[in-house]
Structure formats: structure tokens, C-alpha cells
Amino acid sequence: LLGAALVLAVAGWVLAPVFGRLGAPGLSLALYLAAWALAGWNVALGAARELLRGQPLGELFLMTVATIGAFVLGEYEEAVGVMVFYKVGELLQESATLKSRRSIRALLALRPDSATVRRSGEWLRVAPEEVAVGETLLVRPGERVPLDGEVLEGSGSVDTAAMTGESVPRAVGAGDAVLSGFIVRDAALVVRARKLAGESSAARIVELVENAAHAKAPTERLVARFARYYTPAVVGLAAAVAFLPPLLLEGQTLAAWGYRALVMLVISCPCALVVSVPLGYF
């Protein structure tokens, strides 16, 4: 849809002189309207839903009214441009969100589904959450260390890239500390658990990233609060600009002041904040 909107907008701009010479300037307007509808239908729909739900006027409403006002003023390129840039920002934000979700899924792989623990002289496969501090674990080559601990027996190398970013395997032996998420490479290790599964390094990293992905930055919350008060204020001021001078002053027309009110709405549209802050956060 965004590509089609761009094509229609460019066609309207390039062909405007041709349509003018043919005496059909409305064709150019039709192309711009089609481009606006393709790029901003979800914005206009969101603004309508907010109004029907009785929610305070939001930035979607102001963007919709501002772009409609730009059409009334004859600034077709401005109207389409606001919607297109907003759509581009949405796409970039969605792309960043998908990447963060893929990163979270990769982090979840750091936590093994099971651990081999010695109980009553036998090695048993249990969930990492069932392992107590001080119990003895067996980690075979190719397996991830399930919990933070200390090597009791065995020596070899571990791949720490997932946890520390080190590309070179690290040599470990009896007495060395190992973190959950390390991958044992060439020899089995017997490890004593030093932390519970929920307190391990891998679990804490996953928790931090998940919380960061679901939380909003302070600036993003500030913009949301700003828009909650800014939009009704701007709409109210625009209405005052449109109706008060014709009512209170002689010789002033509604058409002239309505035009100025639309200009005010167009220049007041906070599209830069709406697009840049969430995108910058992601």
C-alpha cells in the first residue's frame, strides 16, 4: 500500500501540469486523494475509533484533521507527505520490533530445558527449576550449562560467546566458575550449582530484555501525555480562530478565518514527535 501511495502521489505531482492544460485539474486531486487513502486509512480509522469510544482527542485525530485541512488549502503534497512519512515510520518501527522479538527468542535458547543432576548416586534429567543450590550437575559436550556454578571435576573449553561475546573458547577446570548459557565443547564437566535457575545469568538477561521490550521509555510516556493535552488545546484554539473573529469583529468573514484556522491545524500537527520518538526508542 505504501508503494502504491508513493506512485500515485508522484504521478499526481508530475502530471499536474498536463491535467491543467487539459482542463481537468481534478484528476491530479483524485490521484492525491487515492494516495492519501492508501497511506492513511488506518490513521483515519484509528482517529474515528478513538472518537467513538469517547477517548480524549489523540495525535491520530490531529493528523487526520490536519491533512484534510491541507487538502482544503490546496496543499495536496503536504497532506500526502504527512501520511506517507508516518507510514514509513510505522514500518520501520514494526521492523525494529520484529528484530527485538527475534533477539528475545534467541536469548530464550540460552536456558536449557533440562539439567542432569546427581541424586542418590544416579544421574537424573530434571527441569533446571528443580535443581537446588549445592547440587551436582553433569554437563556433556555440546550441552549448555543450565545454572551458574563451579567446576568440580573435568577440564576443557567452553564457548562463552552467547553470554560474554568472546569469540575464543575459554579453558576451564576444577575450581573455575561457569555461567548458565556457556556451551561445553570437548569434555564433560561436573558442576556444583551456585544459584537457582531463576537467579542465573541467562535468566536475568532474558528478564531484562523482555522487560525492556514491553516497557515504554520515559520520553515516550512524556509524548503520550503531551499529546493528550496538546491535541484538544490545538483543536480548541483552531475553533476559536475560525469563529470568534467573525462573531466579535465587524467586516471579518468566516471563510478568511476558517482558512487561517486550517493553516494553524496543519502547522500544529506533531507528526515529527509521533514518528520519531517511538522509532528512536526501538
Side-chain angles (χ1 to χ4, degrees), residues 165-246:
E166 296 177 76
S167 58
V168 179
R170 180 189 303 178
V172 295
D176 291 332
V178 290
L179 300 179
S180 58
F182 284 5
I183 300 175
V184 176
R185 289 172 55 89
D186 46 21
L189 300 177
V190 177
V191 178
R192 177 185 290 121
R194 291 298 189 188
K195 293 182 179 179
L196 297 175
E199 301 172 353
S200 65
S201 300
R204 291 179 61 192
I205 290 175
V206 172
E207 181 181 0
L208 286 171
V209 175
E210 287 179 332
N211 290 340
H214 288 94
K216 286 191 174 183
T219 306
E220 200 172 4
R221 292 196 294 268
L222 174 63
V223 170
R225 292 196 300 270
F226 168 78
R228 188 178 303 123
Y229 298 105
Y230 175 80
T231 302
V234 168
V235 173
L237 286 174
V241 169
F243 296 107
L244 290 182

Side-chain angles (χ1 to χ4, degrees), residues 20 33 103 108 112 129 138 157 247:
L33 285 172
S103 298
L108 291 174
E129 292 76 16
L138 174 64
S157 60
L247 292 175

Side-chain angles (χ1 to χ4, degrees), residues 7-228:
V7 170
L8 291 174
V10 172
W13 177 66
V14 172
L15 297 177
V18 178
F19 293 146
R21 288 193 297 269
L22 295 175
L27 294 176
S28 180
L29 174 59
L31 290 175
Y32 281 120
L33 285 172
W36 179 88
L38 287 175
W41 67 270
N42 57 340
V43 176
L45 183 61
R49 286 175 176 170
E50 288 180 355
L51 288 177
L52 292 175
R53 292 171 182 170
Q55 296 176 348
L57 302 179
E59 65 270 10
L60 296 182
F61 176 82
L62 184 53
M63 290 180 66
T64 303
V65 174
T67 52
I68 293 175
F71 272 113
V72 174
L73 297 177
E75 299 294 341
Y76 309 143
E77 299 90 346
E78 297 289 339
V80 176
V82 168
M83 286 302 184
V84 168
F85 284 126
Y86 180 75
K87 197 68 175 181
V88 170
E90 274 192 334
L91 291 176
L92 293 175
Q93 181 173 319
E94 290 175 3
S95 175
T97 303
L98 290 175
K99 288 181 180 179
S100 68
R101 288 172 180 168
R102 285 196 293 267
S103 298
I104 291 175
R105 286 195 292 268
L107 284 172
L108 291 174
L110 295 176
R111 298 186 296 189
D113 297 329
S114 62
T116 303
V117 61
R118 182 162 56 193
R119 292 175 179 172
S120 302
E122 297 182 358
W123 294 107
L124 304 175
R125 299 285 288 186
V126 299
E129 292 76 16
E130 298 178 12
V131 179
V133 173
E135 288 197 288
T136 303
L137 307 172
L138 174 64
V139 188
R140 300 181 178 87
E143 295 181 344
R144 292 183 184 273
V145 178
L147 292 86
D148 294 358
E150 176 187 350
V151 178
L152 296 178
E153 301 175 17
S155 62
S157 60
V158 291
D159 182 351
T160 67
M163 297 297 297
T164 66
E166 296 177 76
S167 58
V168 179
R170 180 189 303 178
V172 295
D176 291 332
V178 290
L179 300 179
S180 58
F182 284 5
I183 300 175
V184 176
R185 289 172 55 89
D186 46 21
L189 300 177
V190 177
V191 178
R192 177 185 290 121
R194 291 298 189 188
K195 293 182 179 179
L196 297 175
E199 301 172 353
S200 65
S201 300
R204 291 179 61 192
I205 290 175
V206 172
E207 181 181 0
L208 286 171
V209 175
E210 287 179 332
N211 290 340
H214 288 94
K216 286 191 174 183
T219 306
E220 200 172 4
R221 292 196 294 268
L222 174 63
V223 170
R225 292 196 300 270
F226 168 78
R228 188 178 303 123

